[in-house]
Structure formats: structure tokens, C-alpha cells
Amino acid sequence: QLQLVESGGGLVQPGGSLRLSCAASGFSLDYYAVGWFRQAPGKEREGVSCTMRSGFSTNYLDSAKGRFTISRDNAKNTVYLQMNSLKPEDTAVYYCAAFRGLLCPPGGADFGSWGQGTQVTVSS
């Protein structure tokens, strides 16, 4: 059974940092691009960042550039999202998703496997 499990969310003050993890089981992430997405209350889901099979990454979200870094450890079958300089507007449920392919798709609709999400709250 293909499964993705996110962890690492929590409450953090503005300017703080969190590292989210996305652990895969039942399949190898070696063959997948993996993306991070988020959804804030009352808003549509939006893409944050994506890592390709090669390890190269792309950002879906302009505001993540310079603050968020996606990385992968295929030996641990895990993808990470390091988030620095967090702002209240980063508050959302963060999801990871996998796409079997070389490159990152342009949007979330192409991702076939999703985790259950982890809550990130940025507040003083």
C-alpha cells in the first residue's frame, strides 16, 4: 500500500523555522517527483515546492523562494521541507504528494499519492 506520512508541523513564532518531513512507505521515492502543497482555511490548495527524481527542485510559490528549501534523502525514502523566516500567512495544513515521473508537474492535479497533512501555525 502506497503511503505518505507528513510530520514536523507545529506552532512557531513569526521569524521561526520548521522542518517538515514526508516519509514514504510501500514504494520507493526513487521513481517519483515529490511536491509540497498547502491549504489555509478558506483558501484553495497551492503548490509550494517540488523535488524531481534527479534532486533538482522547483518552486511553485514565489513567496517561498529564499525561505523554503526542499530536499530528499532517497536512502531514507523521505523528502523534507525546511521553512525559515516563517510568516503568519504561511499558516496552513501542509501536504506532500508524489508523481511517478522524471519532472515536477505544473500543478497538484497530476500528483497521484497524497499524505494526510501536517498543521503549521505561525503566530506570536
Side-chain angles (χ1 to χ4, degrees), residues 48-122:
V48 177
S49 188
C50 179
T51 174
M52 304 175 206
R53 284 171 51 180
S54 62
F56 287 104
S57 63
T58 185
N59 285 314
Y60 293 125
L61 192 65
D62 285 343
S63 64
K65 294 177 183 178
R67 298 191 301 128
F68 294 0
T69 303
I70 191 170
S71 62
R72 63 193 298 155
D73 185 339
N74 286 348
K76 294 183 178 180
N77 221 23
T78 300
V79 171
Y80 304 97
L81 184 67
Q82 177 67 44
M83 304 188 295
N84 299 327
S85 302
L86 283 162
K87 306 174 182 180
E89 51 264 42
D90 294 318
T91 295
V93 178
Y94 284 70
Y95 301 89
C96 64
F99 170 77
R100 189 178 176 99
L102 286 172
L103 303 178
C104 292
D110 295 306
F111 286 80
S113 300
W114 291 80
Q116 83 292 345
T118 185
Q119 176 71 47
V120 171
T121 302
V122 185

